[in-house]
Amino acid sequence: MTSTDSAQQPPRKAPAKDPWDLPDVSGLVVGVLGGTGPQGKGLAYRLAKAGQKVIIGSRAAERAQAAAEELGHGVEGADNAETARRSDIVIVAVPWDGHGKTLESLREELAGKLVVDCVNPLGFDKQGAYALKPEEGSAAQQAAALLPDSRVTAAFHHLSAVLLQDPGIDEIDTDVMVLGEVRADVEIVQALAGRIPGMRGIFAGRLRNAHQVESLVANLISVNRRYKAHAGLRVTDV
């Protein structure tokens, strides 16, 4: 082959990255804001049990420390600001009505952090749960607007707090839909979800798609009430 022939050959494409080739996140410190509530406490327990270093945060450090002692597995408790400062990844599991104010007050401490929002904006009336639509579009998009110096993702919306906190359950059979703007950040969160036995983290789009993921919890609450279950999700053919 002449040099001219060689120059006419199309460049070889790099092999496609395996979507299941995820990073090692075992050495990262995970903070959980709202870690004394059912969802946050359950996530903290599961991640710590899997070997992750976990700090749970609360507005009152004493309350967080008491919850951490109850959980064991090396979990620490601190106020929200200290939790944010000391963590590499910060999971936001606060009640929706305090979501905006909490994040706004921690903007400085969360700068540069990977933030994982798992808050579901819901309302409740006599007909059951229903989705609320924040002005920004979703809780995750509100977080991104309030935390311009953080890397915001969304995940862990569809997990049963009852199952998460039950020490008699070794595996939780469910997928975790992960949304975000930066592939590397999404993959870190996917890998974190995969630390919990039975779970997989599945890429589910950018943050603009977070509203329907958050809203689906209202449907799962209806499922749970009708069937007296703790329903989760599995994505098929993936």
Side-chain angles (χ1 to χ4, degrees):
M1 181 181 292
T2 67
S3 58
T4 303
D5 293 334
S6 178
Q8 291 174 347
Q9 295 298 313
R12 291 184 179 179
K13 289 184 179 180
K17 185 179 184 298
D18 181 352
W20 296 111
D21 180 15
L22 301 174
D24 178 9
V25 297
S26 59
L28 299 179
V29 178
V30 178
V32 184
L33 304 181
T36 59
Q39 193 81 356
K41 198 172 181 181
L43 278 169
Y45 169 68
R46 289 291 163 178
L47 290 169
K49 189 178 180 182
Q52 209 76 34
K53 175 59 187 172
V54 177
I55 307 169
I56 58 175
S58 177
R59 285 177 295 180
E62 298 80 8
R63 188 179 175 199
Q65 289 158 1
E69 190 173 329
E70 181 185 338
L71 290 176
H73 297 285
V75 177
E76 293 185 47
D79 64 36
N80 283 331
E82 183 181 345
T83 298
R85 280 194 298 267
R86 293 178 56 196
S87 301
D88 302 302
I89 304 173
V90 179
I91 297 173
V92 181
V94 299
W96 166 241
D97 58 7
H99 181 263
K101 287 184 179 179
T102 299
L103 295 184
E104 197 169 17
S105 70
L106 296 171
R107 182 176 295 167
E108 184 177 337
E109 290 84 358
L110 290 170
K113 307 289 184 178
L114 176 53
V115 174
V116 187
D117 202 298
C118 69
V119 175
N120 303 302
L122 298 175
F124 295 86
D125 60 19
K126 291 181 180 180
Q127 297 183 58
Y130 60 95
L132 304 175
K133 187 151 189 181
E135 184 179 342
E136 298 84 355
S138 64
Q141 288 170 295
Q142 184 183 87
L146 292 172
L147 303 172
D149 298 320
S150 303
R151 296 138 53 208
V152 176
T153 59
F156 300 116
H157 302 89
H158 306 139
L159 305 181
S160 163
V162 173
L163 298 184
L164 288 172
Q165 294 184 83
D166 188 342
I169 295 175
D170 294 323
E171 294 190 6
I172 298 181
D173 180 27
T174 193
D175 286 331
V176 172
M177 301 180 81
V178 185
L179 302 97
E181 301 301 320
V182 179
R183 181 169 181 171
D185 292 339
V186 169
E187 290 181 347
I188 288 171
V189 181
Q190 286 180 261
L192 187 66
R195 297 272 288 158
I196 300 174
M199 284 191 196
R200 297 186 307 172
I202 303 286
F203 171 66
R206 294 178 178 267
L207 287 186
R208 68 181 184 180
N209 293 320
H211 171 65
Q212 56 263 40
V213 173
E214 296 169 2
S215 300
L216 189 57
V217 175
N219 302 89
L220 290 177
I221 289 172
S222 298
V223 170
N224 290 337
R225 287 181 174 174
R226 173 64 62 89
Y227 298 100
K228 302 190 186 312
H230 303 292
L233 293 179
R234 274 293 187 204
V235 180
T236 62
D237 200 31
V238 174

